[in-house]
Amino acid sequence: MAHRPRRSLLQLLRTWRLQLLALLVALAVLVPLGSRAAPSSPWRVGTDPTFPPFEFRNPQTDSLSGFDIELMQAIGEVAGHPITWVPLPFDGLIPALQARSVDAAISAMTITAERARAIEFSRPYFEAGQAIVVRENGPAFDSLEALKDRRIAVQIGTTGAIEAARVPGARVSSFDSTPLALQELANGNADAVVSDVPAILYAIDQAKLTGLRISGEHLSTEYYGIALPTNAPITAAVNEALTTLITNGRYAELYRHWFAAEPPALPTRAPALEGADSPLAGLDLQLLAGNLLKGAAITLMLTALSFSFGLLGGTALAVLLQAPWRGVHLLCRLYIDFFRGTPMLVQLFLIYFGLPALLQSLEVPFSINRLAAAVTALSLNVAAYLAETLRSGIESIDRGQWEAADALGLSPIARMRFVIAPQALRRVLPPLANEFITLIKDTSLAAVIGFDELFRQGQLMVATTYRAFEIYIAVALVYLLMTTTASLLFKRLEARWRLPA
Ligand code: ARG
């Protein structure tokens, strides 16, 4: 009898649970359906907020600001949809639209026939063109032809990058944002930047980017459009709202506010799209393999150089940490803590963009080449990690061995060289392999300073072919091939060095 109430409670709980589960499932299915159908569902809009005056983060208010941002907000208001902003890198916008992770993107994106094969555009909302920027005290180039054989910095995936790639003999380095490309020019590592006129004018006039000037203007006429997934359900609504804003004067108001000028008349369809309705071309596998191979070679070179220097530095640190001097000890610890405790990405930016900018502001002419900067940052890092690995290896050798070496009358150097180091090295081989494999992957960070290593080669191909999945899988496989080969080689070495049982 005493069991009965308890059992029914359990049963109650069970049915409760079932009901709750049913409710949750129903909610999960119905809520998204309902919100998609509701008129006030937000639109997720992607943007690369590094392109003032179109889209940027206002440092005072810490919110998104710019002509594009206000225009899209107004479009959302007219259409009755709040905007949820999704910040993305520029070269990630088209893949995000293809994946439908965003409903639209506004990013001063030029309407081109190639892009229109992968996505769809709204009617044009802005007229722009390309310009060439140079250093004030550097040579002038007033046409793209004049840039032959020169170093050009661009933002990856932009029309400026496409124009630069057509210049014969030019060495093009690509950066994640236009400000970084301009910094590269200001630091003296490039001869020119190719980018959009209004953004350049703004950077020079408003953002007070000193030492740069425009030397060739309006090399082309381009129209910006709001980017949408192909056959997007919201295209018509976006176009209608845009047309409303153009006719009711709100668009002109925004234009005057941001550009202090009267807006030009806009076509309803971008001329670039005329006669361009062929589908997306297939992926050129031979080209892909060739480019990835080029990238892999650079990745390997970066790894080999940085690991060698890092091993040297790490050994020096580990040995110094054994020394009885307190000051040296402290310095080593500071070094290790700094390089292990700050992101490599930050160190890379600091060395490549920060140091030259600082020294130049102090009137010290200094610029660092890409390879030197990447190898320095990577080696400094590897050294910090390896110092600890090697130290633990050294300290793991039994005290008795040290004493025995001393008893044999070996000097501290001979003791390290003949007794401690060989044994320690054998023990630290597995963590050494770990560090090497990590380094292979970390070299991909060098892409941010314009290195065309393996990952950046993939990114560059995605930026022109819009085949994100296929290309990044291929990139991943090449990395995998390199890391597994490395791990096999280390295993071999381990077997070779193993003491006979
Ligand atoms: N108009 C150029 C293009 O479509 C550059 C746009 C860059 N926009 C940006 N938010 N970074 O390629």
Side-chain angles (χ1 to χ4, degrees), residues 248-291:
N248 74 9
R250 178 96 177 85
Y251 172 86
E253 216 174 281
L254 275 180
Y255 195 99
R256 276 184 227 116
H257 171 71
W258 284 99
F259 302 102
E262 283 305 311
L266 292 167
T268 46
R269 188 174 150 87
L273 292 183
E274 295 317 326
D277 25 30
S278 57
L280 203 58
L283 194 56
D284 183 341
L285 288 180
Q286 212 168 338
L287 187 69
L288 177 67
N291 285 347

Side-chain angles (χ1 to χ4, degrees), residues 323-367:
W325 313 302
R326 287 202 53 189
V328 173
H329 225 100
L330 192 74
L331 282 180
C332 291
R333 287 255 55 103
L334 274 178
Y335 172 89
I336 295 175
D337 285 340
F338 180 80
F339 282 98
R340 236 179 19 174
T342 53
M344 179 122 76
L345 195 59
V346 177
Q347 297 162 14
L348 211 52
F349 270 69
L350 214 58
I351 292 176
Y352 192 65
F353 296 113
L355 210 57
L358 172 78
L359 291 175
Q360 266 158 33
S361 72
L362 299 175
E363 315 258 309
V364 184
F366 173 82
S367 74

Side-chain angles (χ1 to χ4, degrees), residues 48 50-51 55 90 107-110 115 130 155 157-160 178 196 222 224:
D48 165 32
T50 61
F51 208 63
E55 42 266 327
F90 188 74
S107 237
M109 194 186 285
T110 304
R115 288 174 179 164
Q130 295 291 307
Q155 179 178 8
T158 59
T159 41
T178 301
D196 301 28
E222 301 185 349
Y224 297 165

Side-chain angles (χ1 to χ4, degrees), residues 93 115 158 176 209 238 279 362 406 447 467 485:
L93 290 171
R115 288 174 179 164
T158 59
D176 291 322
L209 198 69
V238 167
L362 299 175
D406 285 344
R467 302 284 183 150
T485 312

